[in-house]
Amino acid sequence: MGRRAKHFTTTERAEAQRQHYTAYNQSPHGNTVRAEQNRLRHMRKVSKWSLPRLPPLSYTIESLAHVPLPENERLFQDALRSPDSLDESGLGCWKKEPPFELDPDTSDPHSEHNKIYTQNMQVVLHGVRLREQRVDDACRRDQFHRLGRKVAIERLRDEVPVLLDDWERVSALDIYDRDHHPREYVMFQHYLQWQARTIYNIYYVEFLKPL
C-alpha cells in the first residue's frame, strides 16, 4: 500500500510551499546557494561592460565561469607560459567537444596512478586553455580597434547565441559518471567549465577590461 495523497486546498498548498521555502532558506545549503546568487547578481550590477540586447546568462554558466583555476600549480604555470614547456601531444582528444573518444587505457581507472594522471592532465589543460584564451582575447581587442566598437559588438552578439546553443547541447549529455568513467567525467566537467568561461568572457566583454 502506498502513502495516501494529501489534498491541500489552494491556501494550504501555498502555506506548505512557503514553509518549505523558509526551511530551505534557513538550511546551510540554502544559505550557501543564496549567498552565491547574491554575489553573482552584484557582479552583474557593477559590471561596466556587457553586450546589449542579449538575455541574461544562466546561474549555472555564471557559476562555472567563476570556478577558480589552479593558478598556484607548477604544471598550470608551465602550460600557461609556453606550448614548448610541456608535452601537450596527449591533450588533443580532451579539447574536442564531447563525447570523447574512448580512453584506450585498460588499467584500473580508480587506481591512485590514474587519479593523479587525470588531475595533472586537467591542470595542464587549464593552463593551455587560458593561454589560448589570451591569444583569442588579443584578437578580439584588435578587432575592436580595426572595426570600431559598433561593428565589433554586433559580431560578438552573433557569436554568443551560437556558443549558448553549443552549451545547451553539450551540457544536456548524460554519458559519463564518476564510477564507470572517472577520467571522462572529470574532463567533461572541465570542458563545460571552459565553455562557460568563454561565454562569460565574451558576454561581459571581459577581454577589454584591464587584467
Side-chain angles (χ1 to χ4, degrees):
M1 297 293 291
R3 292 183 178 179
R4 187 175 181 179
K6 295 182 179 180
H7 299 285
F8 291 119
T9 65
T10 301
T11 302
E12 290 172 331
R13 188 180 300 112
E15 177 61 20
Q17 290 175 342
R18 187 191 66 79
Q19 291 178 2
H20 174 76
Y21 180 77
T22 300
Y24 175 78
N25 276 343
Q26 293 175 350
S27 69
H29 180 68
N31 287 331
T32 300
V33 170
R34 189 170 65 257
E36 179 65 11
Q37 290 173 335
N38 289 339
R39 185 181 70 84
L40 292 176
R41 276 196 293 268
H42 174 71
M43 292 186 67
R44 286 196 294 267
K45 186 181 297 184
V46 301
S47 177
K48 295 181 180 179
W49 290 87
S50 63
L51 296 177
R53 301 189 302 280
L54 284 175
L57 296 181
S58 70
Y59 170 73
T60 301
I61 290 178
E62 296 219 7
S63 297
L64 278 177
H66 286 91
V67 173
L69 298 178
E71 296 179 346
N72 295 327
E73 296 283 346
R74 181 184 59 81
L75 289 174
F76 175 88
Q77 293 295 337
D78 288 345
L80 178 62
R81 183 169 56 252
S82 168
D84 300 322
S85 299
L86 299 168
D87 180 9
E88 301 177 5
S89 59
L91 299 178
C93 64
W94 304 109
K95 294 172 68 176
K96 297 177 182 178
E97 180 181 307
F100 305 118
E101 297 178 8
L102 290 178
D103 192 339
D105 189 352
T106 58
S107 60
D108 179 11
H110 297 285
S111 69
E112 192 63 25
H113 169 78
N114 277 323
K115 288 180 181 179
I116 294 174
Y117 179 86
T118 300
Q119 178 61 30
N120 288 343
M121 180 171 64
Q122 181 184 209
V123 170
V124 170
L125 193 50
H126 274 307
V128 171
R129 289 191 186 277
L130 183 57
R131 187 185 73 223
E132 293 175 347
Q133 178 190 299
R134 289 179 176 178
V135 173
D136 292 340
D137 286 351
C139 292
R140 292 191 178 100
R141 285 193 294 271
D142 180 66
Q143 189 177 70
F144 261 73
H145 295 314
R146 288 187 298 102
L147 302 178
R149 174 185 170 88
K150 182 177 180 180
V151 175
I153 283 181
E154 286 301 317
R155 291 195 177 185
L156 292 176
R157 286 187 65 252
D158 292 339
E159 187 176 355
V160 169
V162 176
L163 291 172
L164 288 173
D165 286 344
D166 291 343
W167 163 268
E168 292 295 337
R169 183 182 66 257
V170 176
S171 62
L173 296 176
D174 185 18
I175 49 180
Y176 304 121
D177 63 76
R178 295 177 185 269
D179 295 328
H180 297 93
H181 308 96
R183 180 170 297 165
E184 287 82 359
Y185 177 84
V186 168
M187 300 313 294
F188 181 71
Q189 301 305 316
H190 173 100
Y191 183 89
L192 290 180
Q193 179 182 347
W194 274 94
Q195 284 295 97
R197 287 180 64 93
T198 300
I199 293 169
Y200 185 95
N201 186 47
I202 297 174
Y203 184 95
Y204 287 109
V205 203
E206 289 286 300
F207 54 87
L208 288 183
K209 299 177 182 179
L211 296 176

